[in-house]
Amino acid sequence: MENIIRRLREAGGMTQEELARKLGVTRQTINAIENNKYNPTLELAFKLARLFGRPVDEVFQYRPVKTLRGQWL
């Protein structure tokens, strides 16, 4: 899963801490989401999209990956 949270946050002039406070999560959570190390819950994904006034599928994009057996997930 990839996202454009960092780009949207910076365009809005917000720090990770400010965004986290608005969403009721930690700065570390925002950092992990921005670095694609954590996929947010569905509820948090919708909150992020709503906060930035974008559709959730514009903010988060699923990119299939190939398994060791050559199958796509």
Side-chain angles (χ1 to χ4, degrees):
M1 180 89 61
E2 296 176 7
N3 68 75
I4 59 170
I5 299 299
R6 175 176 284 128
R7 190 170 63 196
L8 293 170
R9 176 182 59 76
E10 289 175 349
M14 272 187 277
T15 65
Q16 288 182 342
E17 185 66 38
E18 290 168 332
L19 179 57
R21 205 170 323 128
K22 288 181 185 221
L23 296 167
V25 298
T26 65
R27 184 201 59 79
Q28 290 86 348
T29 297
I30 299 300
N31 183 273
I33 293 170
E34 287 184 353
N35 288 297
N36 295 309
K37 296 190 186 267
Y38 172 73
N39 290 325
T41 63
L42 190 55
E43 180 181 5
L44 182 54
F46 274 97
K47 284 181 179 180
L48 281 158
R50 191 176 306 124
L51 182 83
F52 292 116
R54 304 288 179 99
V56 73
D57 62 337
E58 183 180 319
V59 177
F60 295 92
Q61 302 85 37
Y62 175 71
R63 302 283 186 243
V65 294
K66 209 171 207 180
T67 67
L68 293 176
R69 296 181 186 213
Q71 298 171 333
W72 289 96
L73 295 178

